[in-house]
Amino acid sequence: MFELLRNLGAWLVDGDRWTGSDGIAHRLAEHLQYSLLATLVATAIALPVGLLIGHTGKGAFVAINLSSFGRALPTVGLVVLVFLASGLSMWPVYIALVALAVPSIVTNTYAGMTAVDPDVKDAARGQGMRGHQVLFQVELPLALPLIMTGLRLALIQVVATATIAAYVSFGGLGRYVFDGLAQRDLVQVLGGAVLVAAVAVVLDLALSALQRVILRHRPA
């Protein structure tokens, strides 16, 4: 075990390992591109849906069950299915990652909206606020903690799963995992896994800090 950890440390700090098209820096940039783009697309889809059903109370059963269905989909199976339909491209990977991220964002946004005290919403309407004003000035600020939690969960899941890009011959940190398995190189496999975990932790800490800043400056 000590020898394995020593070899892993040497693999991670090797200067040559960080340069070139197969270097860690390049693979890291690819992994971040896949993860952040997929999470942004998922947020653009899921956040309005969660806000709408939470504000109106309509369509909650269908939306939540569709989200649960999306969470239950086998990610690799979805990648292969879209890959067979669309050919060699990044579309299968992005579709699978977006499908993975949507459920957490929808369910947490909906939960945050429904957790808002009905009396607070009634008071806002009693002051003459219209529906969209109640949504954006009252419900959304109060639901932000759970919404941000959903975004953090989605991003961590996507970062961990973006390794599947290497499954269909693309890049990212998953290259080290799949190439290491093919070459029976345990050090490379562990190196890729450690890098993915480190990226997930750093991004989660960054979102956590952003969440604290946003909540500190939200309207009282």
Side-chain angles (χ1 to χ4, degrees):
M1 177 60 74
F2 177 77
E3 182 69 16
L4 178 61
L5 293 176
R6 188 175 68 82
N7 291 337
L8 175 61
W11 188 90
L12 289 171
V13 300
D14 183 357
D16 293 336
R17 184 72 61 183
W18 286 81
T19 59
S21 59
D22 194 40
I24 293 175
H26 182 69
R27 294 305 185 195
L28 175 60
E30 290 176 329
H31 204 91
L32 288 173
Q33 176 187 327
Y34 304 156
S35 303
L36 295 177
L37 181 56
T39 305
L40 285 174
V41 172
T43 301
I45 296 170
L47 186 58
V49 172
L51 291 175
L52 180 64
I53 63 176
H55 178 66
T56 64
K58 298 177 181 178
F61 179 80
V62 174
I64 298 302
N65 279 279
L66 284 176
S67 295
S68 299
F69 175 72
R71 185 181 288 127
L73 282 174
T75 307
V76 174
L78 183 59
V79 169
V80 172
L81 181 63
V82 181
F83 177 76
L84 292 175
S86 65
L88 183 61
S89 71
M90 273 297 296
W91 282 108
V93 176
Y94 282 124
I95 290 173
L97 294 178
V98 169
L100 178 70
V102 163
S104 294
I105 300 173
V106 169
T107 53
N108 277 270
T109 301
Y110 173 70
M113 295 290 286
T114 56
V116 177
D117 190 340
D119 291 339
V120 174
K121 293 185 283 187
D122 289 340
R125 294 189 185 96
Q127 292 177 356
M129 284 188 177
R130 298 185 177 183
H132 68 280
Q133 292 175 313
V134 174
L135 171 60
F136 291 109
Q137 296 180 31
V138 178
E139 293 176 297
L140 181 57
L142 293 175
L144 265 179
L146 278 176
I147 293 174
M148 291 298 296
T149 298
L151 291 174
R152 289 170 60 187
L153 289 173
L155 182 57
I156 292 171
Q157 289 175 319
V158 168
V159 168
T161 312
T163 53
I164 60 172
Y167 186 78
V168 285
S169 301
F170 287 96
L173 296 174
R175 275 262 66 91
Y176 300 124
V177 176
F178 285 97
D179 290 350
L181 288 172
Q183 300 164 12
R184 297 185 179 181
D185 185 346
L186 182 57
V187 172
Q188 187 175 183
V189 173
L190 288 176
V194 167
L195 289 169
V196 171
V199 170
V201 170
V202 169
L203 289 178
D204 184 51
L205 291 174
L207 269 185
S208 178
L210 177 62
Q211 178 178 345
R212 288 195 296 271
V213 171
I214 292 175
L215 295 182
R216 188 181 304 126
H217 293 90
R218 66 176 174 172

